[in-house]
C-alpha cells in the first residue's frame, strides 16, 4: 500500500477514534442517574448560542460594505437563514438553504 494511502487511512482512524471518544466521554463521566453538576448544566445552556454567535461574526468579518457588492450577498443569505430558522426551526434546512443561496448569489448575481 502506498505511503500516502496508509497515511490517509491512519488520519481517518485517528479522527474517527477521537470523535467517538469525545461522544462517549460524557456518558462515562456522568452515568445515568448521577447528578450533573450545575456548572456543566450552565455550560450546556450558554455555549451553543455563544458558538453560533462566534460563527456569525466569523462569517461576516471580511465583508466590505464600501465596495461592490456592499455585503448584499451575505446580508441576503443571512436574512434568509434567520427567517427560515424562525419559521421552520430546522438547523440543517436553514443553513443549507442559506449556503446554497449565498453561493448562487456570489457566482451568478453579484459577479
Amino acid at each position: 500500500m502506498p505511503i500516502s494511502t496508509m497515511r490517509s487511512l491512519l488520519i481517518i482512524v485517528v479522527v474517527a477514534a477521537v470523535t467517538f471518544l469525545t461522544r462517549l466521554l460524557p456518558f462515562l463521566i456522568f452515568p445515568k442517574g448521577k447528578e450533573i453538576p450545575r456548572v456543566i448544566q450552565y455550560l450546556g445552556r450558554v455555549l451553543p448560542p455563544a458558538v453560533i454567535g462566534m460563527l456569525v461574526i466569523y462569517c461576516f468579518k471580511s465583508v466590505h460594505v464600501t465596495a461592490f457588492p456592499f455585503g448584499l450577498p451575505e446580508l441576503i443569505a443571512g436574512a434568509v437563514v434567520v427567517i427560515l430558522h424562525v419559521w421552520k426551526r430546522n438547523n440543517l434546512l436553514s443553513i443549507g438553504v442559506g449556503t446554497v443561496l449565498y453561493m448562487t448569489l456570489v457566482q451568478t448575481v453579484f459577479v
Side-chain angles (χ1 to χ4, degrees):
M1 192 179 304
I3 210 134
S4 63
T5 304
M6 184 62 103
R7 184 175 181 190
S8 296
L9 287 174
L10 181 62
I11 290 171
I12 291 170
V13 168
V14 169
V15 168
V18 169
T19 301
F20 179 74
L21 287 174
T22 58
R23 302 297 192 265
L24 179 67
L25 197 59
F27 295 103
L28 296 176
I29 295 173
F30 306 111
K32 193 170 185 169
K34 186 177 179 186
E35 181 68 26
I36 297 174
R38 288 170 105 22
V39 68
I40 301 298
Q41 292 176 2
Y42 171 75
L43 289 174
R45 274 193 327 272
V46 299
L47 280 182
V51 168
I52 295 298
M54 289 300 293
L55 287 173
V56 168
I57 291 169
Y58 179 78
C59 288
F60 286 102
K61 74 177 175 50
S62 60
V63 174
H64 300 287
V65 294
T66 57
F68 182 81
F70 309 107
L72 286 175
E74 293 86 355
L75 185 64
I76 293 168
V80 167
V81 168
V82 169
I83 291 166
L84 262 177
H85 188 71
V86 167
W87 178 38
K88 292 290 188 177
R89 296 280 181 209
N90 185 326
N91 292 339
L92 185 61
L93 176 70
S94 57
I95 293 171
V97 169
T99 302
V100 169
L101 176 62
Y102 173 74
M103 294 309 291
T104 302
L105 288 173
V106 297
Q107 292 181 10
T108 61
V109 179
F110 297 102
V111 181

